[in-house]
Amino acid sequence: MSRFAVPPRRTAAVAVTVLAASLVLTSCGSGDSDSASGDSFKAADCPKQPTTRWAEPASGGGTHTVATAMGDVKVPTAPKRVVVLDTAELDSAITLGVKPVGATRSDVASGFLDYLPKDKVAGIKDVGKIGAPNLEAVAALKPDLILTSKVRDGRSYQQLTKIAPTVMTETTGYPWKQNFATHAAALGRIPQAKKAVAAYEAHAEKVTAALGGAAKAKALRTNIVRFVEGADTRVYGCQSYIGTILADIGTGPTDVVNGSKDGLMTELSAEQMNKADADAVFYASYGTPEKSKEAQVTGGALWKNMRAVKDGRSFRVDDQLWIQGIGYTAADEILSEVQQRLGKK
């Protein structure tokens, strides 16, 4: 899912590299692991993240033009009734102090991902499921701007444009920082967006310091594992949303993710789970622990013998925050959680 985040589906498990043994961290144990040999885990080959490009802030009233995946689009300079059709667009709006009048719902009980402040999402109207918005419900809200992505709603673009100016990014997930800049341009909030980015970058620097500094963070291997109902288990790569956050604090995954399609993720069967080992492992489930096989795998010998587990450095995290939520509000909370779990006490 690029997250490039289309709903989870089964794909063939990819071949993975046998990992080396865990880096011995300060204050950590150094017990043996069936998953590795040698002195340290090998880092994945991660490309440098692209530089975010910013449009000039809109000035005056009326309209301004925003570059989108579907070409240039004229939007109101200060839109008042915004509808968002995915989690990244909702996070962007909330981060920038905009409460949408409508949003598609996530596949969670509340409809909105739990990490979002309740007061910020209260009163937002449900306009259908992500990837399948109810166009009549969207139109009934009389929006003056719609935010979404081509990967989600490209097939409905012409219909959406008849309702309101529609700003689409190409996809979601890895290009989330550039997408945020596009959302900010559409919302007329570029100055506010740059402040949010600066605050996030300062927070990331603090987390790096809490890990012992840049050199220690660079030596630390951190894998993100997701158990998925109806599919093999995923280890997220460098070009995933969560992968970029790890990179921002100087750490990243092991070479188990090398060769993954689009740099997104490697899939492992239950019999391969020892290959997800790292200095630290964060794991989550999409679906119940029983249906996603989390309970089965984490209760098994392969998982229990991983170095991260033996060292007390395997941490269960919220799937809604770490995987489903995409944006600076989510990223800021993830940084805080990484520091809490791995930082110096």
Side-chain angles (χ1 to χ4, degrees):
M1 142 173 100
S2 208
R3 5 213 143 357
F4 293 127
V6 286
R9 61 189 183 276
R10 178 178 295 275
T11 57
V14 300
V16 293
T17 308
V18 177
L19 299 178
S22 170
L23 176 69
V24 179
L25 296 173
T26 302
S27 76
C28 287
S30 58
D32 293 335
S33 170
D34 292 340
S35 66
S37 61
D39 297 324
S40 64
F41 291 106
K42 188 176 180 181
D45 298 325
C46 292
K48 184 179 179 180
Q49 294 185 54
T51 301
T52 301
R53 304 178 307 279
W54 294 93
E56 289 297 320
S59 59
T63 63
H64 66 284
T65 301
V66 176
T68 82
M70 309 301 282
D72 289 348
V73 176
K74 279 191 174 183
V75 303
T77 296
K80 303 296 184 185
R81 298 185 62 79
V82 180
V83 169
V84 297
L85 301 182
D86 203 353
T87 58
E89 287 76 8
L90 180 55
D91 189 295
S92 289
I94 296 300
T95 300
L96 294 171
V98 175
K99 178 181 281 191
V101 294
T104 48
R105 65 181 178 275
S106 301
D107 188 21
V108 296
S110 65
F112 298 116
L113 300 179
D114 291 343
Y115 76 88
L116 293 167
K118 296 295 184 288
D119 62 320
K120 302 298 184 184
V121 297
I124 298 177
K125 299 296 184 182
D126 180 344
V127 295
K129 292 183 178 180
I130 292 173
N134 182 325
L135 299 184
E136 290 183 359
V138 173
L141 293 174
K142 301 186 185 307
D144 55 7
L145 177 67
I146 298 170
L147 298 179
T148 186
S149 63
K150 188 175 177 181
V151 72
R152 289 300 197 197
D153 298 300
R155 64 189 179 280
S156 301
Y157 181 71
Q158 294 302 325
Q159 295 159 286
L160 289 168
T161 58
K162 292 177 182 178
I163 298 171
T166 300
V167 170
M168 285 188 171
T169 57
E170 186 70 33
T171 187
T172 185
Y174 181 65
W176 68 279
K177 295 177 181 179
Q178 185 60 56
N179 292 350
F180 178 71
T182 300
H183 300 155
L187 293 166
R189 301 258 174 158
I190 289 178
Q192 296 91 330
K194 288 185 175 181
K195 287 181 181 179
V197 172
Y200 166 80
E201 291 174 346
H203 191 178
E205 289 178 2
K206 289 181 180 179
V207 177
T208 301
L211 295 178
K216 287 189 176 180
K218 185 177 181 180
L220 179 69
R221 295 299 97 217
T222 47
N223 279 340
I224 310 298
V225 174
R226 191 191 199 195
F227 299 99
V228 181
E229 182 178 343
D232 283 331
T233 300
R234 298 167 180 180
V235 182
Y236 280 89
C238 310
Q239 291 175 273
S240 64
Y241 166 69
I242 191 62
T244 64
I245 297 174
L246 296 178
D248 288 339
I249 59 175
T251 183
T254 67
D255 62 352
V256 70
V257 302
N258 283 350
S260 55
K261 185 179 179 181
D262 298 321
L264 175 60
M265 64 184 175
T266 287
E267 292 187 313
L268 302 176
S269 68
E271 295 74 26
Q272 297 173 307
M273 281 311 302
N274 58 320
K275 295 178 180 179
D277 202 1
D279 298 315
V281 172
F282 294 90
Y283 65 97
S285 274
Y286 185 90
T288 66
E290 293 73 26
K291 290 183 178 179
S292 70
K293 297 183 180 178
E294 175 196 332
Q296 172 189 335
V297 172
T298 58
L302 283 179
W303 181 270
K304 290 180 178 180
N305 283 324
M306 292 194 333
R307 181 68 60 84
V309 177
K310 286 185 173 183
D311 287 349
R313 289 194 164 219
S314 62
F315 307 102
R316 194 178 197 278
V317 295
D318 181 12
D319 189 80
Q320 293 185 38
L321 173 63
W322 282 63
I323 310 295
Q324 297 182 58
I326 294 181
Y328 281 97
T329 292
D332 199 55
E333 291 193 27
I334 292 169
L335 288 180
S336 294
E337 204 164 311
V338 172
Q339 181 173 343
Q340 178 186 8
R341 301 293 181 87
L342 295 181
K344 292 180 179 179
K345 303 300 183 184

